Amino acid sequence: EADIYQTPRYLVIGTGKKITLECSQTMGHDKMYWYQQDPGMELHLIHYSYGVNSTEKGDLSSESTVSRIRTEHFPLTLESARPSHTSQYLCASSDGGEKLFFGSGTQLSVL
Amino acid sequence: GENVEQHPSTLSVQEGDSAVIKCTYSDSASNYFPWYKQELGKRPQLIIDIRSNVGEKKDQRIAVTLNKTAKHFSLHITETQPEDSAVYFCAARGTAGNKLTFGGGTRVLVKP
């Protein structure tokens, strides 16, 4: 079934660790996005990509980085996790239209 | 860039009553305005959207209105049901980078 998948669903990690949040979509969408969201709160765009080898920073400053080597894959990496990075990270994709399809999210807790 | 403000932040209604959420935007060139619903612990999902060349759009119990002159748009839910309880986000697509900017969200609670 065509969908957008995020792993892991939950991640608890210690300060200073390097982590990568995975996001893959099987819908053939060119555009992909990463949002940061505290539970039930505003969605903040932190990164986006309009195609392979294209990445841009979003409206909210983030210490994370992203890559887009394949159309279907858009991983997000934190080189050194800190407690301030604790949040939910939502990946999304869209086709030529405007509708965003969101993944189920990764809830990150940094101790 | 675009700035979207959403009100109220919380809304409690009795089952069967109507709910109205309002959003204002800053970029007069914005041309696309979607609404997303996020149930507790779930991913946001698009429920309705409107483009700048249309003033109103309706889909069963939900409707959206757009006033381009005043730069505001609203979500109307009629005959509310407990399953309408969720956080609702408005958004606007501005001209900078063709990105969506979301409002702060409205937590709607429908009391049976």
Side-chain angles (χ1 to χ4, degrees):
Chain A
E1 179 183 340
D3 203 347
I4 179 164
Y5 302 94
Q6 287 188 245
T7 58
R9 185 74 177 89
Y10 301 95
L11 180 61
V12 181
I13 201 162
T15 297
K17 299 293 185 182
K18 177 180 179 179
I19 59 169
T20 296
L21 308 185
E22 300 289 347
C23 176
S24 293
Q25 50 96 3
T26 56
M27 295 179 282
H29 290 169
D30 286 327
K31 300 177 182 178
M32 296 189 74
Y33 310 82
W34 276 104
Y35 288 88
Q36 185 174 341
Q37 182 190 35
D38 291 325
M41 303 295 284
E42 188 171 353
L43 291 150
H44 295 285
L45 180 66
I46 51 175
H47 296 284
Y48 63 100
S49 167
Y50 286 166
V52 171
N53 294 325
S54 157
T55 62
E56 300 287 344
K57 289 189 179 295
D59 303 319
L60 181 68
S61 176
S62 174
E63 295 165 343
S64 58
T65 58
V66 292
S67 63
R68 190 87 184 277
I69 299 173
R70 303 196 317 267
T71 299
E72 63 273 18
H73 194 213
F74 191 41
L76 181 145
T77 298
L78 274 168
E79 290 293 332
S80 180
R82 294 207 301 269
S84 60
H85 296 138
T86 293
S87 189
Q88 177 172 235
Y89 293 83
L90 284 164
C91 183
S93 71
S94 68
D95 56 14
E98 292 96 347
K99 181 179 179 180
L100 288 180
F101 294 83
F102 284 90
S104 296
T106 293
Q107 181 61 49
L108 173 66
S109 296
V110 183
L111 306 177
Chain B
E2 177 67 278
N3 182 49
V4 178
E5 294 191 358
Q6 184 171 345
H7 299 280
S9 57
T10 59
L11 180 59
S12 181
V13 298
Q14 206 66 39
E15 183 177 357
D17 288 350
S18 295
V20 180
I21 305 169
K22 298 180 180 180
C23 290
T24 60
Y25 60 98
S26 60
D27 186 348
S28 57
S30 290
N31 56 12
Y32 176 66
F33 308 92
W35 287 87
Y36 284 80
K37 175 184 180 182
Q38 186 177 28
E39 296 177 25
L40 188 63
K42 302 284 184 64
R43 63 182 86 179
Q45 292 193 311
L46 179 72
I47 55 171
I48 195 167
D49 57 10
I50 192 168
R51 301 178 194 284
S52 58
N53 59 347
V54 176
E56 182 174 358
K57 184 176 179 180
K58 189 174 182 180
D59 183 3
Q60 298 183 340
R61 295 187 297 108
I62 60 173
V64 57
T65 58
L66 171 65
N67 183 326
K68 287 191 297 181
T69 303
K71 291 190 288 185
H72 68 70
F73 56 112
S74 300
L75 178 72
H76 305 252
I77 308 173
T78 59
E79 300 173 25
T80 53
Q81 300 169 5
E83 53 263 38
D84 295 328
S85 295
V87 180
Y88 292 81
F89 294 95
C90 64
R93 185 179 66 184
T95 51
N98 204 32
K99 308 186 302 289
L100 278 180
T101 299
F102 283 86
T106 297
R107 188 177 301 276
V108 174
L109 175 64
V110 180
K111 296 180 289 186

